[in-house]
Amino acid sequence: MAKTVLVSGGAGFIGSHVTVELISAGYDVVVADNMSNCDMTCFEGVKKITGREDLPLVKMDFCDAEAVEELFTTYKIDAVIHFAGFKAVGESVYEPLKYYGNNLTSFINVIETSRRHGCENILFSSSATVYGEPDKSPVTEKSPRKPATSPYGNTKQICEDILRDSVKAYPEIKGIALRYFNPIGAHPSALIGELPRGVPNNLVPYITQTAAGIRECLSIYGNDYPTPDGTCLRDYIDITDLAKAHVYAVRRMLEGKMEEEYEIFNIGTGKPVSVMELVTAFQKANGIKLNYKFAPRRAGDVTAIWADPSLANKKLGWKAERTIEETLKSAWDWQLHLDKTLGRK
């Protein structure tokens, strides 16, 4: 009988891609989301890609302990992947209590309810933001966590600590934290992708919206950093590659292959790409000339960070495979799909 994985926040960008890969790998999936930062677009896309018209979607808030209890009572959950949380770095600076209240409470509810219902396996969606401005790159899982530059980043650190301390205190559960670097792109089908509300906070949706004429001009913040071309260096990972890492991590938990009760893995490519290189690669991959300009540095931006993914490569058996050109082509295909769907072209 197939194992059932709960994907909290599963109607969003990362959650929808992870759901596709879990179903492709033979797992049953329950998606739960309060829909506060997404609409039905990606969930409907997941059903089309997988052919699973019966895919459960529970509309609920993980801060509501009674709703979480009802969810675990209704479904026999074998593993949880927790995405549900607010994620806008800038907003978290201005509304810290909103972020601490939502992101911490929802995760505590998940852990407590998982314990009560015999769900032993908890995978947390963490972030490279926990490394702050690193002393050197690439960063390994043993690189020091630096003070968070935003309440959002701090919630990632605190949730990691909550999971670490919980598995230490409660031997019936085990946990994995995946530290993502910069997920970009869209599913090769162009049926699901990143769908920001309002002005995008992330670079690639701003690039595609500029290419589509929705935004007038792309601002590249800072061209005077101590990097080869003066722009920030990042580790951009294809969203489908990232999603597949969750399948490997869930399998590791469910098959009893974890070497410790709490494990951490960097999920990245290990290849630094500058903002300017990314813009150039997008133009080349899609035959498009972008309207862009350089702007002053943006507060809180880290100069350079990229992953050493060798631990995930070795222990999970996972590796990023798609090229940056393939990824940026998929991002543009998704934008064209959206434009067609919304009648913009």
Side-chain angles (χ1 to χ4, degrees):
M1 186 174 176
K3 298 290 187 180
T4 299
V5 182
L6 168 64
V7 183
S8 74
F13 173 45
I14 300 178
S16 60
H17 287 81
V18 170
T19 298
V20 167
E21 297 304 323
L22 286 168
I23 292 171
S24 297
Y27 294 102
D28 289 334
V29 179
V30 176
V31 174
D33 204 304
N34 69 0
M35 312 303 287
S36 65
N37 197 41
C38 61
D39 59 25
M40 292 294 290
T41 303
C42 284
F43 184 75
E44 292 298 331
V46 169
K47 292 198 294 184
K48 289 179 182 176
I49 294 167
T50 61
R52 286 288 307 278
E53 286 298 324
D54 60 343
L55 181 65
L57 171 60
V58 182
K59 295 183 181 180
M60 55 162 287
D61 192 331
F62 280 86
C63 288
D64 182 342
E66 290 184 4
V68 181
E69 177 67 26
E70 183 179 343
L71 176 67
F72 275 79
T73 301
T74 304
Y75 298 95
K76 173 64 175 74
I77 306 297
D78 298 293
V80 181
I81 304 178
H82 186 64
F83 295 107
F86 297 141
K87 62 176 185 175
V89 173
E91 181 188 51
S92 77
V93 174
Y94 299 106
E95 297 193 60
L97 295 182
K98 174 182 176 180
Y99 275 70
Y100 288 119
N102 182 80
N103 293 8
L104 304 187
T105 303
S106 62
F107 194 40
I108 290 169
N109 284 344
V110 163
I111 296 173
E112 286 186 333
T113 313
S114 293
R115 285 184 62 218
R116 281 199 304 274
H117 287 266
C119 174
E120 301 176 350
N121 309 289
I122 301 171
L123 193 159
F124 176 61
S125 161
S126 193
S127 165
T129 58
V130 302
Y131 296 116
E133 181 86 56
D135 296 325
K136 61 179 181 179
S137 280
V139 293
T140 73
E141 290 80 359
K142 295 188 182 300
S143 297
R145 295 191 323 183
K146 296 297 188 70
T149 58
S150 70
Y152 161 77
N154 202 24
T155 65
K156 290 296 186 184
Q157 292 185 347
I158 295 170
C159 283
E160 283 192 0
D161 294 343
I162 290 170
L163 183 56
R164 179 201 64 208
D165 293 343
S166 294
V167 299
K168 188 182 297 182
Y170 313 124
E172 65 268 29
I173 62 172
K174 50 189 178 290
I176 290 178
L178 298 184
R179 291 174 176 169
Y180 315 151
F181 280 68
N182 294 76
I184 61 170
H187 192 268
S189 68
L191 291 173
I192 56 175
E194 192 165 4
L195 187 58
R197 288 189 167 181
V199 179
N201 288 306
N202 294 336
L203 176 60
V204 170
Y206 212 110
I207 286 174
T208 60
Q209 289 191 12
T210 302
I214 300 166
R215 307 290 162 194
E216 185 177 339
C217 183
L218 169 70
S219 292
I220 298 175
Y221 296 102
N223 63 342
D224 59 349
Y225 285 97
T227 60
D229 64 16
T231 63
C232 294
L233 290 171
R234 294 289 182 268
D235 189 333
Y236 296 102
I237 178 166
D238 183 89
I239 184 62
T240 299
D241 280 339
L242 177 84
K244 288 177 179 177
H246 295 74
V247 177
Y248 285 87
V250 165
R251 186 178 295 143
R252 181 175 176 84
M253 289 194 289
L254 290 173
E255 294 182 357
K257 294 181 178 178
M258 292 177 64
E259 295 169 14
E260 299 176 32
E261 72 276 4
Y262 174 60
E263 297 180 336
I264 298 168
F265 297 101
N266 285 338
I267 305 299
T269 67
K271 300 172 184 175
V273 175
S274 76
V275 173
M276 195 63 240
E277 286 175 330
L278 191 79
V279 169
T280 301
F282 177 85
Q283 294 182 125
K284 183 178 179 181
N286 297 295
I288 294 170
K289 178 67 175 172
L290 273 178
N291 184 27
Y292 66 87
K293 66 180 180 182
F294 293 108
R297 292 188 186 189
R298 189 170 53 182
D301 278 348
V302 172
T303 300
I305 183 170
W306 64 94
D308 178 348
S310 57
L311 189 67
N313 298 162
K314 180 181 178 182
K315 300 290 186 181
L316 294 181
W318 167 89
K319 188 172 184 177
E321 297 177 342
R322 286 170 66 81
T323 67
I324 197 76
E325 289 78 18
E326 288 174 317
T327 301
L328 293 171
K329 180 72 168 60
S330 73
W332 180 235
D333 288 344
W334 163 244
Q335 182 67 55
L336 293 176
H337 170 75
L338 280 179
D339 290 343
K340 182 178 179 181
T341 303
L342 298 173
R344 285 198 287 244
K345 286 190 177 180

